[in-house]
Amino acid sequence: MIKFFRKIRQNLLMENKTGKYFKYAIGEILLVIIGILIAVSINGWNEDRKLANEEQSLLKDLKQEMELNLKSLETVITQHEESLKAAEEIRKLFDDRDAFNKMPEETFAELCGRMEKNSTYDPQSGILNSLINSGRLSLFSNKELKYLLASFKESTVDAFEDTHAIQRERPTLMHESFLGAYEKKDGKIISYNPKQRYDSEAFRLYANLYFFWVRTGGLKEERELKQELEKIIKLINQEIKK
């Protein structure tokens, strides 16, 4: 092709057709420029297509991670709701000794056990952390989705501050509330009656402050986190091409 164009130029010069030669040269330059622009456009299109494919792949992986996190969060919320219900029942017993006296030891022990469950939430974040640390979060075109993903870790920490507060105080308060429930002889524990915890100030503080008031506030924030996670999944689904 190059030889063909060169031959045309030579013939024009030999025939002393200078004007036509310059017109031809300009046309050839324009063709070269057009060719370069087309090549650049094709390369840009290919690059955009690669980035779009990468975004779709990342969205699908992220969706799986977030769906697992939602399922895990729902399990924790359900357990905390049961804990709160048990705390409410125990608080009612504080105002009704007759009902407490009639309650079997096993029932009261089971009630305490349900109240004292305090599961923490540890979401999977391998894919999200990789996106943030590598800067590939910028591949996502949805600005709202990028913001929610970037703040998800902080939102999780905020939502479970109360749960971690209970976790910190729980060992001390449990130990103090259990002390009165053990019967000792010669320094050795010979029996345990869970109902002896009823009159313990530590136990009442434990049930009232932490497992009622703190848990109530914590559940509110956990449910808000669930709504945020559901929104993230919804936005991801909107961005995934069918």
Side-chain angles (χ1 to χ4, degrees), residues 68-178:
L68 288 173
N69 288 338
L70 177 60
K71 185 176 181 180
S72 176
L73 178 60
E74 288 173 338
T75 299
V76 172
I77 289 175
T78 298
Q79 189 266 307
H80 287 177
E81 288 172 340
E82 290 298 316
S83 171
L84 179 60
K85 288 179 183 178
E88 290 174 331
E89 290 183 49
I90 290 174
R91 291 178 80 242
K92 290 178 181 177
L93 289 176
F94 291 153
D95 298 323
D96 191 350
R97 184 173 283 274
D98 288 339
F100 168 74
N101 289 335
K102 293 175 184 177
M103 181 176 285
E105 289 182 15
E106 295 79 7
T107 303
F108 185 71
E110 187 273 334
L111 192 60
C112 291
R114 281 196 288 122
M115 179 187 74
E116 291 167 343
K117 286 183 179 178
N118 189 50
S119 297
T120 55
Y121 180 57
D122 186 21
Q124 296 186 28
S125 57
I127 294 172
L128 179 57
N129 286 342
S130 176
L131 283 172
I132 293 173
N133 294 335
S134 65
R136 287 188 296 170
L137 190 60
S138 61
L139 288 173
F140 294 166
S141 55
N142 190 305
K143 292 182 180 179
E144 185 179 12
L145 176 59
K146 285 194 287 188
Y147 171 78
L148 289 173
L149 290 171
S151 61
F152 178 69
K153 184 175 181 179
E154 184 179 349
S155 297
T156 302
V157 172
D158 291 342
F160 279 85
E161 281 182 351
D162 290 333
T163 296
H164 291 297
I166 293 172
Q167 198 76 357
R168 287 193 302 270
E169 301 297 331
R170 191 164 172 258
T172 300
L173 291 173
M174 277 189 73
H175 176 73
E176 291 177 4
S177 69
F178 270 116

Side-chain angles (χ1 to χ4, degrees), residues 105 178-194 196:
E105 289 182 15
F178 270 116
L179 289 178
Y182 292 107
E183 183 181 350
K184 295 183 179 180
K185 185 176 182 180
D186 298 328
K188 295 181 180 180
I189 298 173
I190 60 174
S191 66
Y192 166 68
N193 182 350
Q196 295 294 331

Side-chain angles (χ1 to χ4, degrees), residues 12-13 17-29:
L12 288 172
L13 288 171
K17 296 179 178 179
T18 308
K20 288 185 178 181
Y21 173 80
F22 282 116
K23 289 180 181 178
Y24 173 80
I26 292 171
E28 189 174 329
I29 291 170

